[in-house]
Structure formats: C-alpha cells, structure tokens
Amino acid sequence: MEHISTSRCYAGEQQVWRHESSSTGTPMTFAIYIPDHEDGTRLPVIWWLSGLTCTHENAMIKCEYKRACAEHGIIFVCPDTSPRGEGVANHDDYDFGQGAGFYVNATQEPWSPHFQMRSYVEDELPALVAANFPVDMDRQGISGHSMGGHGALTVSLRNPGRFRSTSAFAPIVSPLNCPWGDKALSGYLGDNRAAWREYDSVALIEDGARIENVLVDQGTADEWLEGQLKTHLFENAVRDAGMQAEIRMQEGYDHSYFFVSTFISDHVAWHAAKLKD
Amino acid sequence: MEHISTSRCYAGEQQVWRHESSSTGTPMTFAIYIPDHEDGTRLPVIWWLSGLTCTHENAMIKCEYKRACAEHGIIFVCPDTSPRGEGVANHDDYDFGQGAGFYVNATQEPWSPHFQMRSYVEDELPALVAANFPVDMDRQGISGHSMGGHGALTVSLRNPGRFRSTSAFAPIVSPLNCPWGDKALSGYLGDNRAAWREYDSVALIEDGARIENVLVDQGTADEWLEGQLKTHLFENAVRDAGMQAEIRMQEGYDHSYFFVSTFISDHVAWHAAKLKD
C-alpha cells in the first residue's frame, strides 16, 4: 500500500491510501478515517459506498462523518466507485463507465477485465483493511449514497450477518426498474435480466434475502426520486417480506451531500448503537 | 442578482447567487447559508473569507459551518476570493492573480481594473446582502482561513466597531513579512511598502488599530506556519499593543479544511455568544 496523505481531523486522522487491486487490475485509492484510540484496541468500521461520478474524495470532504466517528470511535472507509486510468474502458456519460461501477462484477466486454467492483468492495478491500488497520471485523456497518446506497443494500443483502447495521441515503433501490440501472446493468452484465437480480435490493428481498437493522433516508425534494430512486419499491418489498426497515422521508432535502451531511451524524450514531461490543 | 441554487441543509438553506459587481466589474458569485427563521426576524451574520485558490464553493462544501449556524441561527456568507473570467488578468501561479485577490484594492496594472476585493468584501457585498437577505447588520462577525484569515483580521482592524467578533484559522498575519505577501502585494500595490500597511494585521496594530473579541486557531503541523503564516508576529503585536486576543495552537493539525472543519463549530459558537441581542 502507498500512503498518500494523513491529516488530523477532529480527534482522529483522515488518511488516504492507494494499492494495486487484484480485483480490478488497477491502482485503487481509498480514504479511511481513524479515531484516536488506545494501542491494541480494534474499532468498529462503517464502509461507505459513494454515488455516481464520485471518487474516494467526495465523501471525505463533503459527508461530515468525522465528528460523529471521532465521538463514537468508529473507523469510516470510503473506496472509489470504479477502476480508473488510461487502460480502463470508459464512456462519455456520467452514469456509465469510470465513476459509475455500480458495485457489480462486469461480465461484458470491454468492462469485464477491470469493472469488478463487487469483488473489490465485498472481498478484497475488507481483507486489505482488516490486515492493515485496527478494525474489528465482528463489528461492521455499511452505508452509502445513491448508487452507493444501492451498493450498501445489495452487499449487505448478499451477505446476511456480516453487517450489524445497514443504512442508505437516497439509494437506487431497484436497478431493474430505473433508467440508470437499465443502462449500467445491461452494459456491465448483458441483457439477461435474471443475472441482475443479485444487484437489486428489491429483487434480493423478493428472492428471500433478509437483513436486520436497516435505515434509509430519502429527501422529498430529490430530483431523482420518482424517475430513478423509487423508494416505494423498497418499502413495498420490505413490507411484503415481513422485514423491518426504517425508511424516513426527509422533507425538502435534495439529492446532494447537503442532504447527506445533514443526517450522517444520525446514521453514525445509529450504527454506533448496533456496533457496541 | 441571479439565483444559482438552493439546497436544504440542516435546518436551513444553502443558497448560491451571482451578481454584477461594480467593484470588480465582473460577475461575482457568493454562497449564503440561511437558517430557518420566523418571517420578519433578522439574523446575525458571519462573513467568511476563503484562502488561496478557493472560490465561494470550497468553504461551502468543506467547512462544516452549517450545523452550528443552524443551531445558533446565524447567516454565513462565503464570497469568492477574486474576480474571474477571460477579460480578467491572471497568473499561472496559485498564489497570485485569479483565486488570490488578497482582499486588496489593486493600484497596479494589469490588476487594478478588476482586483478591487477590498471594496467588494468591505462595502459592496455587505450592502448587497443587507438589502436582499434577513441579516441584522448590527450583529456582524467575520472569519476566514489563511489568505482569508488575513482578510478577516485586516477588514476588521480597518473598521473597528463594525464586527462584534473576529476570528481566523491559520491566518497570514503579516504580508509584509512573508513570501506570499511579498509576491502578491508588490504585484497588486507596487513597491511602496508603506502602502501595504493597511493590508497587514501586524502593521495595522502597530499603527494603532484596536479591536475586541479576537480568536485565532493555528495548527502546529501546518506546513506554512514558519515560512508564511508566522503566528508569533501577531501574538507579539497584540501583546505589545496591550490588546486582547485568544490565540490557540492546535496540536497536530495541518493547513487544510480538515483542520478548519474541526474547529469551525467552536468558532461559530464563540461568535454566537458575541452576536446575541
């Protein structure tokens, strides 16, 4: 791992690291916030998955998680949203290609060699972080925003029991049922929509996946709510499955980090309560 | 004024506006955070001056002032740091020209036609904001970071009594005594260093200016502390003048917004105590 930067922030350190990823075959950069702690102790961790166009940096500078993470003693990890670089396939649109990995393992050319973001966030990065930072892997939470909310819900639903707590801000709840999903998943996975179901929180629940401790915040002024995010599909799936999830419609908030930053302290505190020893 | 954006954030609105500035002869953009309030009430205001390379946007997304401003009911205004655009003089370096206005009224070509940032932040913008937003101009505070800390201290020292509270993060305390100041002020104001004194917080105090309620935070790990910022010069000037100022050296913090965001809530609360009715 290559150390990029360390800055003291609140009672802890915001660090950035880069490493050669075996999943993507590219260098990958991630941010990790580490609260002050006694030597030898291991801290709970929240994995944060970011949205379309983001790198590791957006949440790091905009999300305002550090105060709450310092207070509750929680490590917070922000990976990139896709492989990047000259040898990596790309697309001119903001919602496909680099910056838009959708946390899937691509099966279609030209994406499949590098766009293996499911393996990266689900397996490789957790192992790397566990080996190099003082995280307690028995106390993990996951969260994310928009495409990263989709990522958080689907990673958790595919791995019941791994995360004690799962939250999302304005998640894309069903790529099978929105234009962003149609475009990205047909590109990365091909036209066999049955193969998309493991990347769709609604379909995963319909197919029997269950997780506990789920919190979703969604702004009512979000420009993507009706056309892309469709929170009600998740609400319906949860209800039909007899699953519990707290879904909060936040009046007047839009899709931006101005919304996320407003409620991230709530989320961190909520995760913290589940992540206690 | 042209409305650019409004996003709900905490219990208030983050807005961005653009207007034709008579000071700079260019369009100028500023951010303004307005907490929820009852119709007809006027709120205290903190003016925030940003550092080198910044636009109105950097503090808006990185500074983490909104939570505290919502809590204390304070409006927070972030102007740009210089005129910009194709017809405006510029320089390749980050510390001179666009993004580096130093809050001076330039007297030297080619800067003088547009680089009138003293007039802009001292006169034009306050009048514009007072006329269009619910600010109580009897309850003003001012703050800023780095070049903007220099701006906050010097604007306040030139206008004793206008601001009830003046704070700064990692300010350039004496442009007369650092390379950034040498370069910028010789370029904007020419070689007559006597003319620089009204843009130097140490010189202003030496020349008799006095203000009350001053708070400065400076990180000890700041890479610019010794070569550019030289907090001790301000400390000495304040002591020699018999003036009061709280100067806090914050152990381990660097020059970034990771430092500013850590202590901005402290500053807003400190301003709020001075800005009560």
Side-chain angles (χ1 to χ4, degrees):
Chain A
M1 285 201 305
E2 178 191 358
H3 175 250
I4 305 297
S5 66
T6 292
S7 289
R8 187 153 182 79
C9 191
Y10 294 93
E13 290 187 349
Q14 180 62 60
Q15 302 182 355
V16 178
W17 294 83
R18 187 182 298 138
H19 67 110
E20 290 297 326
S21 165
S22 58
S23 307
T24 67
T26 65
M28 291 292 289
T29 304
F30 65 94
I32 182 166
Y33 180 74
I34 306 171
D36 296 342
H37 58 283
E38 290 178 21
D39 279 353
T41 59
R42 300 188 82 82
L43 305 177
V45 58
I46 294 174
W47 307 94
W48 175 267
L49 302 183
S50 292
L52 290 166
T53 77
C54 290
T55 68
H56 71 284
E57 196 178 32
N58 299 66
M60 181 175 80
I61 62 179
K62 293 182 174 181
C63 180
E64 303 196 10
Y65 56 77
K66 300 172 216 89
R67 185 179 62 89
C69 285
E71 181 185 339
H72 295 287
I74 293 178
I75 287 175
F76 198 94
V77 184
C78 306
D80 203 344
T81 60
S82 81
R84 296 178 190 276
E86 285 196 10
V88 179
N90 203 2
H91 193 279
D92 284 343
D93 297 346
Y94 75 97
D95 54 1
F96 189 51
Q98 295 184 31
F102 267 83
Y103 308 103
V104 306
N105 282 348
T107 57
Q108 306 298 302
E109 295 289 343
W111 310 104
S112 48
H114 298 296
F115 282 70
Q116 301 294 315
M117 288 301 293
R118 171 181 175 171
S119 292
Y120 181 70
V121 300
E122 207 165 294
D123 301 319
E124 184 181 5
L125 183 66
L128 182 81
V129 169
N132 290 282
F133 298 93
V135 293
D136 179 353
M137 296 296 277
D138 290 330
R139 293 187 287 159
Q140 300 183 64
I142 191 166
S143 187
H145 173 227
S146 193
M147 176 182 77
H150 143 77
L153 293 172
T154 55
V155 169
S156 186
L157 283 161
R158 284 194 306 266
N159 295 277
R162 183 191 291 192
F163 304 98
R164 293 199 194 172
S165 46
T166 303
S167 79
F169 294 81
I172 301 169
V173 302
S174 184
L176 278 159
N177 290 291
C178 70
W180 279 339
D182 275 339
K183 180 174 179 175
L185 271 54
S186 62
Y188 297 135
L189 304 175
D191 292 332
N192 175 13
R193 294 169 70 95
W196 301 15
R197 295 184 70 82
E198 57 187 339
Y199 298 112
D200 184 297
S201 71
V202 169
L204 282 162
I205 293 170
E206 288 172 354
D207 294 346
R210 299 288 181 271
I211 50 175
E212 295 183 345
N213 298 328
V214 178
L215 171 63
V216 173
D217 269 327
Q218 173 63 54
T220 63
D222 188 323
E223 67 191 295
W224 308 111
L225 175 52
E226 288 193 24
Q228 302 276 11
L229 306 173
K230 305 187 181 182
T231 317
H232 68 280
L233 296 179
F234 185 74
E235 206 160 11
N236 294 346
V238 161
R239 188 195 54 229
D240 293 348
M243 204 178 106
Q244 298 296 312
E246 186 174 6
I247 300 168
R248 311 190 298 195
M249 300 304 290
Q250 300 289 2
E251 188 66 30
Y253 292 87
D254 64 20
H255 196 65
S256 69
Y257 268 99
F258 294 124
F259 159 60
V260 177
S261 63
T262 299
F263 296 103
I264 188 69
S265 295
D266 276 7
H267 281 235
V268 171
W270 176 86
H271 283 275
K274 320 293 184 204
L275 296 174
K276 280 186 182 159
D277 287 328
Chain B
M1 285 204 303
E2 179 191 357
H3 176 249
I4 305 297
S5 66
T6 292
S7 289
R8 187 154 183 79
C9 191
Y10 293 93
E13 289 186 350
Q14 181 62 59
Q15 302 182 355
V16 177
W17 294 83
R18 187 182 298 139
H19 67 108
E20 290 296 325
S21 165
S22 58
S23 308
T24 67
T26 65
M28 291 291 289
T29 304
F30 66 94
I32 182 166
Y33 180 74
I34 307 172
D36 296 343
H37 59 282
E38 290 179 19
D39 279 354
T41 59
R42 301 187 82 81
L43 304 177
V45 57
I46 295 174
W47 307 94
W48 175 267
L49 303 182
S50 292
L52 289 166
T53 76
C54 291
T55 67
H56 71 281
E57 196 178 32
N58 298 67
M60 181 175 81
I61 62 179
K62 292 181 174 183
C63 181
E64 303 196 10
Y65 56 77
K66 299 172 216 87
R67 186 179 60 89
C69 285
E71 180 185 341
H72 296 287
I74 293 178
I75 287 174
F76 198 96
V77 184
C78 306
D80 203 344
T81 60
S82 81
R84 295 178 190 275
E86 283 196 11
V88 178
N90 203 2
H91 192 280
D92 284 342
D93 297 346
Y94 75 97
D95 55 359
F96 190 51
Q98 296 183 31
F102 266 83
Y103 307 103
V104 306
N105 282 349
T107 58
Q108 306 297 302
E109 297 288 342
W111 311 104
S112 48
H114 298 296
F115 282 71
Q116 302 294 314
M117 288 301 292
R118 171 181 174 169
S119 293
Y120 180 69
V121 299
E122 208 165 294
D123 300 319
E124 184 180 3
L125 183 65
L128 182 81
V129 169
N132 290 282
F133 298 93
V135 293
D136 178 353
M137 296 296 276
D138 291 329
R139 293 187 288 160
Q140 299 183 64
I142 190 166
S143 187
H145 173 228
S146 193
M147 177 183 74
H150 142 77
L153 292 172
T154 54
V155 169
S156 186
L157 282 161
R158 285 195 305 267
N159 295 277
R162 183 190 291 190
F163 304 98
R164 292 197 194 176
S165 48
T166 303
S167 79
F169 294 81
I172 302 168
V173 303
S174 183
L176 278 158
N177 290 291
C178 71
W180 279 340
D182 275 340
K183 180 174 180 174
L185 271 56
S186 62
Y188 297 137
L189 303 175
D191 292 334
N192 174 14
R193 294 170 70 93
W196 301 15
R197 296 185 68 82
E198 58 187 338
Y199 299 112
D200 184 298
S201 71
V202 169
L204 282 162
I205 293 170
E206 288 172 353
D207 294 346
R210 299 289 181 271
I211 51 175
E212 295 183 343
N213 298 328
V214 178
L215 171 63
V216 173
D217 269 326
Q218 172 63 53
T220 63
D222 188 323
E223 66 191 296
W224 308 110
L225 175 53
E226 288 193 22
Q228 301 276 10
L229 306 173
K230 304 187 181 182
T231 318
H232 67 281
L233 297 179
F234 185 74
E235 207 159 13
N236 294 345
V238 161
R239 187 194 57 228
D240 293 348
M243 205 178 106
Q244 299 296 313
E246 186 174 6
I247 300 169
R248 311 190 298 194
M249 300 304 289
Q250 300 288 2
E251 187 68 29
Y253 292 87
D254 64 21
H255 195 65
S256 69
Y257 268 99
F258 294 125
F259 158 60
V260 177
S261 62
T262 299
F263 296 103
I264 188 69
S265 294
D266 276 7
H267 280 236
V268 171
W270 176 87
H271 282 276
K274 320 293 185 205
L275 297 174
K276 278 186 181 159
D277 288 327

